[in-house]
Amino acid sequence: GYMTNPMALAHRHRLPAAPGVFKKDFERAIRKMMRREVWAYWHGMSQSGTRYDPDITEPRKAWWDPVVKENIMYSGHLTAMAAMYGYLFNDDKYEEMGSIWFEPGALAPFVTARTEYSLKALNDAIYWQMVETGFVGVACQPNWIFAICNQFPIWGFRFEDIRTGEARAAEVTANHQAAWRGRETSPTKPRRRA
């Protein structure tokens, strides 16, 4: 996920009039993130273990979709990359359902369909995981939540908000900070987005 950050900075601050220099490489990096070799580790990790959950007596049922829950270091980087792409290049490529996708292959041999997302669907999945934890954040590994790991999806929310005029990033940031400070006030009530 970090490979797009220097490209974004170089494009924005050094060659803003030359998107063609960076756009194809940006697309390649995002495509690489969707390759099974990049995210397949999650199938095994999703089962957890005593290192992550000392009270576990047997592995959890594994799932192969790497963004459905508890994998914010992957899904957060992916959404930041896709949203940054839209912002930098004014391109709706990742706004289409199916533009972000995962095929299980050997991880789930009896599953023939692939899981498809758009940037909005990906951000919705991450947002509702944050809501479920009271905005403390989404886990990087089973039962492990770190504030720093949850900064990447907030980047994605911010870039998406710039293009849509929404304020999801502001809502998440305020509630995330309040949750980590341990304030007694409850976070604002989350609202479903159409």
Side-chain angles (χ1 to χ4, degrees):
Y2 286 111
M3 69 183 89
T4 54
N5 295 344
M7 285 190 282
L9 290 169
H11 170 47
R12 183 76 172 162
H13 297 291
R14 298 293 180 188
L15 294 168
V21 173
F22 302 100
K23 190 173 182 181
K24 289 295 178 196
D25 287 333
F26 228 93
E27 289 172 353
R28 284 187 199 102
I30 294 169
R31 262 197 322 272
K32 188 173 192 173
M33 286 288 284
M34 291 185 274
R35 291 179 59 106
R36 194 177 305 117
E37 307 94 275
V38 174
W39 57 262
Y41 72 92
W42 186 251
H43 184 262
M45 184 64 109
S46 71
Q47 296 178 70
S48 192
T50 54
R51 178 177 182 198
Y52 305 104
D53 187 354
D55 298 328
I56 201 168
T57 57
E58 61 184 51
R60 299 185 303 187
K61 182 177 168 65
W63 61 88
W64 63 266
D65 182 338
V67 303
V68 74
K69 69 178 183 179
E70 291 186 346
N71 193 6
I72 203 63
M73 280 302 285
Y74 175 78
S75 60
H77 277 288
L78 182 59
T79 195
M81 293 166 74
M84 196 180 331
Y85 173 92
Y87 167 73
L88 288 171
F89 305 112
N90 194 27
D91 190 328
D92 295 335
K93 178 176 185 165
Y94 298 104
E95 301 297 326
E96 297 176 28
M97 185 56 82
S99 58
I100 298 169
W101 54 270
F102 309 100
E103 288 181 350
L107 298 175
F110 302 109
V111 176
T112 56
R114 67 186 194 174
T115 299
E116 296 185 343
Y117 292 88
S118 63
L119 176 61
K120 183 185 181 316
L122 177 59
N123 279 344
D124 286 346
I126 294 168
Y127 174 81
W128 288 106
Q129 289 177 70
M130 288 187 169
V131 169
E132 287 173 6
T133 66
F135 289 96
V136 171
V138 181
C140 318
Q141 291 101 17
N143 296 320
W144 289 13
I145 298 175
F146 298 97
I148 191 67
C149 301
N150 284 270
Q151 302 313 300
F152 302 107
I154 293 172
W155 289 3
F157 296 158
R158 285 196 193 288
F159 288 120
E160 183 186 41
D161 287 349
I162 291 168
R163 298 191 77 221
T164 64
E166 293 188 20
R168 190 191 314 235
E171 174 191 349
V172 169
T173 300
N175 287 317
H176 183 63
Q177 289 173 341
W180 277 90
R181 283 189 197 115
R183 290 185 177 171
E184 292 182 14
T185 58
S186 62
T188 58
K189 186 176 180 183
R191 58 192 185 282
R192 285 258 177 221
R193 288 172 165 73

